[in-house]
Amino acid sequence: MEKKLPEVAKHTALILILSTPFMSAVFADINKKENASVLPDTQKNLSITKSKVLAEKRQQLVTEAAEAVSGTQKAVEALEKNDPKTALSILQTVSGKLDIILAKAPSLALIPADIETDYFNFTGDSKAIKQELKKADDLLDSGKIQDARQILSGLASELSITVTNIPIGSFPVAIKEAVALIDAGKTEEAANTLNEVLGMLVKTTETIPLPILSAEALLNEASAMENKKDLSKEKSKEEIMKLTSEATNELQRAELLGYGTSSDYKTLYASIDDIKKTLHSDKSQTTWERVKQTLSELKNKLIHSKK
């Protein structure tokens, strides 16, 4: 006879599994595939929004910081090849790059030098998510925790952005120390110092729920639609209602996937419903501003950053 988990243990297991990041690359590959249950227009909006977010992050990168990191790596390689002259020349260039950074941003502690991204996307709609949760719930009831874990680990839709930063307080000092060691003929110690400084690089990861980004893009498009001159009020209302409906679907997906709780979404759903009442009226702008503000607050609350 199979043992059943008590209700408290079952729900604890659900929470632990759902909060576990990227459990398996296998599931990531499976869930990156498109799913017909999500509207093509929504997928298009999501793709555009992801590109925009990444472009904004890349704009924050400091060219000199990236060159300083790559230069430090090349200097280590030169020392390993017993070529201190080349290493010294490279490090002098690196020091120059760091001086430029200090002049540009003297108050910043961390200077972004590189960016890496990953995403994990379960593309099923709310119905598909509920079906997967039901399967997992039944498995937990039967005590099959690992089987449930495999299902739940795939229920995520998020973009992770990892930025590599130079700690500007310690990095330049360490580079100058390595230069002094090379001048003194202590190439092995210099290489160790450079490896240590590369180990000082600080990585920060920001995780953003994809359905929230998608809902934001859809609502922005809907807001702009109201003022399109080539559309009649009736036609624009039809298009706006379609976009807000898709946005609500995306928010429901986010809620079901465990990004926040139902109370986090309550005000936003109500604000979106108000659009129907105030569309093409003198209250419309105020409603849109409230929707965007509420969504922005939700997004900021749900974005997780870690070092």
Side-chain angles (χ1 to χ4, degrees):
M1 175 184 280
E2 293 177 329
K3 295 182 179 179
K4 288 192 176 183
L5 285 175
E7 282 299 306
V8 173
K10 181 176 73 173
H11 291 300
T12 300
L14 272 166
I15 293 169
L16 288 172
I17 294 168
L18 279 171
S19 63
T20 304
F22 305 149
M23 297 292 295
S24 165
V26 174
F27 292 114
D29 289 338
I30 290 171
N31 287 301
K32 281 179 183 176
K33 295 178 181 177
E34 298 300 324
N35 188 306
S37 58
V38 175
L39 294 171
D41 286 348
T42 302
Q43 287 296 329
K44 181 182 177 182
N45 269 291
L46 180 54
S47 178
I48 293 170
T49 305
K50 280 181 356 189
S51 298
K52 182 181 176 183
V53 169
L54 295 179
E56 289 171 352
K57 288 292 181 182
R58 290 191 180 99
Q59 284 178 357
Q60 297 172 16
L61 298 181
V62 177
T63 302
E64 290 84 4
E67 292 172 346
V69 172
S70 63
T72 303
Q73 293 167 335
K74 290 174 183 176
V76 172
E77 292 171 6
L79 290 173
E80 289 173 347
K81 294 176 181 177
N82 198 27
D83 187 359
K85 185 177 179 180
T86 297
L88 192 58
S89 176
I90 292 171
L91 290 177
Q92 287 170 344
T93 301
V94 168
S95 288
K97 300 292 182 185
L98 293 170
D99 288 340
I100 292 172
I101 294 170
L102 284 167
K104 281 184 175 180
S107 62
L108 290 182
L110 296 175
I111 307 298
D114 191 24
I115 185 170
E116 299 172 30
T117 64
D118 195 3
Y119 80 98
F120 190 101
N121 192 19
F122 181 84
T123 57
D125 59 12
S126 295
K127 182 180 179 181
I129 295 170
K130 289 177 182 178
Q131 288 173 342
E132 293 301 294
L133 288 172
K134 177 65 168 57
K135 288 178 189 176
D137 199 45
D138 290 343
L139 288 166
L140 286 171
D141 272 339
S142 300
K144 297 178 179 179
I145 296 174
Q146 296 307 315
D147 290 338
R149 180 186 180 190
Q150 289 185 2
I151 292 174
L152 292 171
S153 63
L155 292 181
S157 182
E158 55 196 41
L159 174 67
S160 285
I161 303 170
T162 299
V163 178
T164 299
N165 303 275
I166 288 179
I168 204 64
S170 55
F171 204 95
V173 175
I175 295 297
K176 289 176 181 177
E177 182 184 338
V179 168
L181 288 168
I182 294 173
D183 282 337
K186 300 177 180 180
T187 55
E188 187 174 343
E189 290 181 35
N192 289 338
T193 298
L194 292 178
N195 279 318
E196 286 175 7
V197 79
L198 289 171
M200 293 178 187
L201 297 175
V202 178
K203 290 194 174 186
T204 57
T205 299
E206 187 177 81
T207 301
I208 310 170
L210 289 174
I212 298 296
L213 289 181
S214 181
E216 184 178 47
L218 290 161
L219 289 170
N220 285 338
E221 185 180 350
S223 176
M225 185 78 66
E226 187 170 356
N227 298 314
K228 280 198 172 182
K229 294 181 180 179
D230 58 341
L231 290 176
S232 65
K233 286 187 177 182
E234 184 178 345
K235 182 63 177 175
S236 68
K237 182 176 182 179
E238 180 184 330
E239 293 296 323
I240 289 167
M241 290 301 98
K242 177 185 175 185
L243 289 166
T244 55
S245 177
E246 289 179 26
T248 300
N249 289 339
E250 285 298 287
L251 292 170
Q252 289 171 344
R253 289 181 66 241
E255 182 182 346
L256 283 168
L257 288 169
Y259 298 110
T261 63
S262 59
S263 61
D264 293 323
Y265 292 83
K266 187 176 180 180
T267 302
L268 182 54
Y269 288 145
S271 296
I272 293 173
D273 283 341
D274 286 342
I275 292 171
K276 302 172 188 175
K277 306 170 189 174
T278 62
L279 201 58
H280 296 301
S281 74
D282 55 358
K283 296 181 181 180
S284 179
Q285 185 177 348
T286 302
T287 302
W288 281 117
E289 288 173 358
R290 185 168 67 250
V291 168
K292 291 177 181 179
Q293 178 62 31
T294 307
L295 179 57
S296 177
E297 290 171 358
L298 175 63
K299 184 172 74 169
N300 291 336
K301 181 178 181 178
L302 297 180
I303 289 176
H304 296 291
S305 297
K306 64 178 181 179
K307 292 184 179 180

